[in-house]
Amino acid sequence: MFIGGISLNFVLGSDRIPLRLIYFSYLGIGIMFDELMALFPRGISQAALTVIVFVFTVAGIGEVRDYQRVSEFDTYITKQLIELDRDGNLTNVDKNTYVFGGQHSYEETRCIHYLDHIRGASGSYADFTGCMRHLTGKAFTNNIIPFTYADIQILKPYIDEEGVCSFYNIEYDKTVTRAQIVSDGENYNVLREDGTYIGRLEKVDDKRYQFFD
């Protein structure tokens, strides 16, 4: 069970071992540990088991709290986005919404940065869109496309069509503000409504742009 749980990872030649993949292996480790404890006097095995149960219980509580805090940030950010959407573009399947400053991990939560472990919704279009659909109750909407640092996204020809795209920015304090893009040759400057600078979209090819803050 221990070897079988992680064997597929080596067959595929992947260096990414997500935590959910090794769940089956944990069962194998547990059975081996149970047999090992039978070799020790009853008092020692009970004491060892008590310590291990305590450690894993505390760790489990911490994990639940981390998920809760990330969920609170996701909800806070998405609700602001919905409130700023005065024209109803978020739930219009014919519109596109782009959000700058998306984050896979929120530093305030101090979560372990391990692969996809407890990721923030604002760093992924699928998670962000799902959160928005849940809070609005709309099953069919456009996608919310977040721009994290150095992200490359397809923007053409949408940004050339007036009224199709909406732009927002997540500030450092997690407040959401409206944004706009201003042409600068082949590139675009990303600005707040008051004209202050957010970042820059640099052309990659005829359709794609890369975001730098």
Side-chain angles (χ1 to χ4, degrees), residues 21-199:
L21 182 63
I22 59 177
Y23 178 79
F24 194 66
S25 296
Y26 282 150
L27 300 180
I29 294 173
I31 293 173
M32 288 190 290
F33 181 80
D34 184 61
E35 294 298 318
L36 179 64
M37 286 296 98
L39 301 177
F40 292 92
R42 184 177 180 84
I44 294 177
S45 61
Q46 288 181 334
L49 182 61
T50 300
V51 171
I52 291 173
V53 169
F54 175 77
V55 170
F56 278 91
T57 299
V58 172
I61 293 173
E63 288 281 283
V64 172
R65 178 54 183 159
D66 288 344
Y67 275 108
Q68 182 180 11
R69 293 196 67 197
V70 170
S71 177
E72 289 169 352
F73 277 117
D74 289 340
T75 302
Y76 176 64
I77 291 171
T78 309
K79 281 185 175 179
Q80 291 182 81
L81 193 61
I82 294 170
E83 291 172 358
L84 288 171
D85 180 38
R86 296 188 290 266
D87 301 323
N89 291 330
L90 284 178
T91 53
N92 187 333
V93 294
D94 296 320
K95 300 296 180 70
N96 294 290
T97 301
Y98 298 91
V99 181
F100 301 99
Q103 299 171 59
H104 293 297
S105 301
Y106 303 123
E107 295 298 331
E108 295 87 346
T109 63
R110 304 185 186 280
C111 293
I112 298 172
H113 297 175
Y114 177 75
L115 300 182
D116 298 324
H117 184 63
I118 315 184
R119 289 297 188 98
S122 67
S124 163
Y125 86 89
D127 296 340
F128 214 165
T129 302
C131 187
M132 181 270 293
R133 290 179 178 179
H134 171 71
L135 293 175
T136 61
K138 303 289 185 179
F140 301 100
T141 67
N142 67 19
N143 290 328
I144 300 179
I145 309 297
F147 270 99
T148 60
Y149 179 77
D151 258 358
I152 298 175
Q153 303 287 358
I154 295 176
L155 288 177
K156 296 275 189 172
Y158 314 117
I159 56 175
D160 296 327
E161 300 175 9
E162 185 176 353
V164 172
C165 297
S166 299
F167 300 94
Y168 299 87
N169 184 59
I170 302 173
E171 305 290 345
Y172 290 112
D173 62 357
K174 301 299 181 293
T175 57
V176 179
T177 58
R178 287 177 173 271
Q180 57 186 334
I181 59 172
V182 178
S183 178
D184 182 20
E186 292 187 332
N187 304 314
Y188 292 89
N189 290 322
V190 183
L191 308 175
R192 298 178 181 86
E193 284 188 307
D194 62 5
T196 54
Y197 182 82
I198 295 173

